Amino acid sequence: NAGVTQTPKFQVLKTGQSMTLQCAQDMNHNSMYWYRQDPGMGLRLIYYSASEGTTDKGEVPNGYNVSRLNKREFSLRLESAAPSQTSVYFCASSSNLGEQYFGPGTRLTVT
Amino acid sequence: ELKVEQNPLFLSMQEGKNYTIYCNYSTTSDRLYWYRQDPGKSLESLFVLLSNGAVKQEGRLMASLDTKARLSTLHITAAVHDLSATYFCAVDGSRGSNYKLTFGKGTLLTVNP
C-alpha cells in the first residue's frame, strides 16, 4: 500500500517548456487535489477532482491544466512554464472524513 | 472567501514548556484538520476535528475545535525537541463531500534544549 505517489521528485525547466506532473493513489479515494507550496504562503489549491471525470479550479489555477485519468490518477500539466511557477507541488487524496493524504512532493525550478 | 489565520507564525520554545497555537477562520465550518510538516518533507495528518467541542489528543499534542468562535487550538505540553516542525491548520469551507481545504500559513515551531 504505497498511499499517494508523485513523479518526478525534482525537475528543472526553462521558461516556456512544458511538463506533466503525475500523481497516483491506491486508497480508492474519490477526491484528489493539486497544491503548490511557496515560502510563507502555506499551501494553495490549484485544481481538484471530486470524482472520476470531474475537475474544478482552486485558488490559483492560471497556467495549469489537469486530467483525472481514472480513479487512481490525477495529473497536472504546465503548458508553458514561467519562473513564477517555481514551487513545491503536492498531490493529495481524501478519505470520506475529508482527511487528506499527501504525496512526497515535486520540487520544480523554472529558470 | 474563507480565510484561515494561524498565530503565531514563528514559535521558539524551551523543552519542557507548554504553549498553544491558534487557528482562526472566517466562515462557518465544522471540519478542521491539523498537519505537521518536517523540513523538506510532505505533510502528515495529525488530527481530524469534525464537530463543535471536538478534542483529540496524541502524545504531547492536543487539538480542540470551537465552531461558534471559529477557533481551533493546538496545545503543546512539555515540549520536546522532536516536536520541532511546521504545523498547519486547514479548514473545509465547502459543502457536501468535496472536502476542499483552505490552509493557514503555518506555524514554525522550534523547541530548544
Side-chain angles (χ1 to χ4, degrees), chain A residues 27-104:
Chain A
M27 295 174 282
N28 202 36
H29 289 162
N30 286 323
S31 298
M32 297 185 72
Y33 311 82
W34 275 104
Y35 293 92
R36 61 177 288 172
Q37 184 176 32
D38 302 293
M41 300 293 290
L43 273 79
R44 293 182 291 169
L45 183 65
I46 304 171
Y47 271 93
Y48 68 103
S49 171
S51 61
E52 185 179 352
T54 68
T55 61
D56 282 290
K57 295 178 180 178
E59 182 185 353
V60 288
N62 290 346
Y64 305 95
N65 285 301
V66 290
S67 295
R68 183 74 182 266
L69 303 170
N70 47 56
K71 191 171 186 178
R72 290 188 63 248
E73 298 172 288
F74 188 36
S75 63
L76 178 72
R77 183 159 177 84
L78 286 70
E79 290 290 353
S80 179
S84 61
Q85 294 178 305
T86 294
S87 188
V88 181
Y89 291 85
F90 288 102
C91 177
S93 66
S94 72
S95 71
N96 57 8
L97 293 180
E99 182 180 18
Q100 293 190 9
Y101 296 82
F102 286 81

Side-chain angles (χ1 to χ4, degrees), chain A residues 31 33 35 37 40-43 45 48 50 57 59 90 94-104 107, chain B residues 1 31 33 35 37 40-48 50 88 92 97-106:
Chain A
S31 298
Y33 311 82
Y35 293 92
Q37 184 176 32
M41 300 293 290
L43 273 79
L45 183 65
Y48 68 103
K57 295 178 180 178
E59 182 185 353
F90 288 102
S94 72
S95 71
N96 57 8
L97 293 180
E99 182 180 18
Q100 293 190 9
Y101 296 82
F102 286 81
R107 282 149 184 79
Chain B
E1 179 191 345
R31 296 193 284 218
Y33 308 82
Y35 291 87
Q37 185 179 37
K41 302 292 187 183
S42 186
L43 281 80
E44 172 192 355
S45 178
L46 290 175
F47 298 111
V48 176
L50 299 179
F88 293 94
D92 182 0
S97 58
N98 281 349
Y99 306 122
K100 203 169 82 168
L101 299 186
T102 300
F103 281 77
K105 287 186 166 52

Side-chain angles (χ1 to χ4, degrees), chain B residues 2 33 45 63 85 106-107 109:
Chain B
L2 172 59
Y33 308 82
S45 178
T107 297
L109 171 64

Side-chain angles (χ1 to χ4, degrees), chain B residues 1-7 22-32 52-53 64-73 89 91 95:
Chain B
E1 179 191 345
L2 172 59
K3 293 191 186 307
V4 179
E5 290 189 359
Q6 284 182 239
N7 68 82
Y22 297 88
C23 176
N24 292 274
Y25 54 97
S26 62
T27 63
T28 301
S29 176
D30 56 5
R31 296 193 284 218
L32 190 140
N52 185 41
S64 65
L65 177 62
D66 181 343
T67 59
K68 293 177 183 174
R70 298 177 185 168
L71 171 68
S72 179
T73 60
C89 65
V91 178
R95 302 283 179 196

